[in-house]
Amino acid sequence: MTFIWMEMLWLLLLVPILIGLYVLMLRRRKRTAVRYASLAMVKQALGKGPGWRRHLPPALLLIAIAVLILAVARPAAVVTLASSRATIILAVDVSGSMRAADVPPSRIVAARNAARQFIADQPADVQIGVVAFASAAYLVQTPTIDRTALYQAIDRFQTRRGTAVGAGVLTSLATIFPDEDFETLQNDPRPGAPAGDARPPGYRSLPLDGQTAAEEKPEHIPVEPGSYRNAVVILLSDGATTTGPDPIQAGQTAADYGVRVFTVGFGSPSGDVVDYEGRRMRTQPDIETLKTIARTTDAQFFEAQSSDDLTRVYKSLSAKLVSEKKLTEISFIFAGIGALFSLLAGTLSLLWFGRVA
């Protein structure tokens, strides 16, 4: 627990001061009582007193004052709430390296199985979309709650040449924000590289009136990373980027739109040699790039070296996405407790003084 107005806690110094004043008042009453000629006669006249019970109302009042001061300091606690995210985009690497058998029976089969289990674990009202990327990225299933359609989309994964992690991120963003234009960011920034061909479905470069997109829309104003709560991207990759847009820059674009991109590095650290289209290549996940994307977007990086690891990663992500922790002010609880103690102190005081009267 923390306090939003920490400086108000200085008011708690009033509590020991009030305790001192109360003790001083008791001693003063005791000195006044000594003035009577016969204390025995006074005690006999008063009968049996309330004893320690007479201190109960002031003690409750002091507790009430302390609790109300804490309420004024605006206490806040991290509370687990149901997530408000309505869309999850699964972006899966389908490059030729996913045929590697270091994760039996193969990386692509293990990724399919884990993705199916992840989809099954999500609440029924959460929409899930599927993006596949190799040398380009494609939206293979628009966000839907139809689990059968999602399973079929995953089963259609076919490995292709190349790895474009940046294209996977941008195509996922294009799916979340269909009215935004990410097409110009899809090109490979390296000298001499061909223009990208990964434009997601539903895009148009120019509006119908013939004006440029830049003239029609103002430039996007970056927001706080991780602040967009309606969607999240989970990106799995087993290799380094060989083509397409810069993945780090793509991650920064996601951060500017407030979208978290959770990344998963899949495969053994030493990699594996794969024969694909007559070429032999060794592949291993680009851990540092995936970590940078996750860190930039205020998300988290996971490493999965086996099929069981990947299943555990997806289960962990399920728990994170179904519920989210939020710093919530709880001053109303302290105010209610303080009011209750005040009421008890007042009630006991009335009862005690009533009996004395």
Side-chain angles (χ1 to χ4, degrees), residues 25-199:
M25 182 184 68
L26 291 178
R27 290 180 177 177
R28 184 176 180 182
R29 291 180 61 185
K30 186 175 181 180
R31 286 196 299 268
T32 302
V34 173
R35 296 177 185 174
Y36 287 97
S38 176
L39 289 176
M41 186 180 297
V42 173
K43 289 181 179 180
Q44 186 176 2
L46 292 176
K48 187 178 180 180
W52 63 269
R53 288 176 296 175
R54 63 177 176 152
H55 301 299
L56 189 56
L60 291 174
L61 184 59
L62 283 172
I63 294 174
I65 291 173
V67 174
L68 289 173
I69 289 173
L70 293 176
V72 170
R74 299 180 63 188
V78 176
V79 180
T80 301
L81 304 171
S83 175
S84 59
R85 295 185 182 91
T87 303
I88 298 174
I89 305 298
L90 286 177
V92 181
D93 188 341
V94 293
S95 59
S97 59
M98 288 291 283
R99 293 187 176 188
D102 57 338
V103 180
S106 68
R107 294 179 184 179
I108 190 68
V109 173
R112 282 190 190 125
N113 294 338
R116 290 175 66 94
Q117 185 59 53
F118 173 82
I119 292 170
D121 290 341
Q122 301 311 302
D125 60 342
V126 173
Q127 294 191 102
I128 300 175
V130 181
V131 169
F133 64 91
S135 60
Y138 307 92
L139 178 63
V140 296
Q141 176 59 59
T142 57
T144 179
I145 61 174
D146 185 347
R147 293 336 190 210
T148 300
L150 290 167
Y151 298 148
Q152 291 174 348
I154 291 171
D155 290 340
R156 288 195 300 268
F157 283 166
Q158 297 292 328
T159 57
R160 300 171 182 268
R161 185 187 295 274
T163 302
V165 173
V169 174
L170 293 175
T171 301
S172 299
L173 291 177
T175 305
I176 297 170
F177 304 104
D179 293 330
E180 297 292 328
D181 185 5
F182 297 96
E183 182 183 1
T184 56
L185 303 177
Q186 291 280 5
N187 295 333
D188 192 330
R190 293 172 299 178
D197 61 344
R199 184 175 67 175

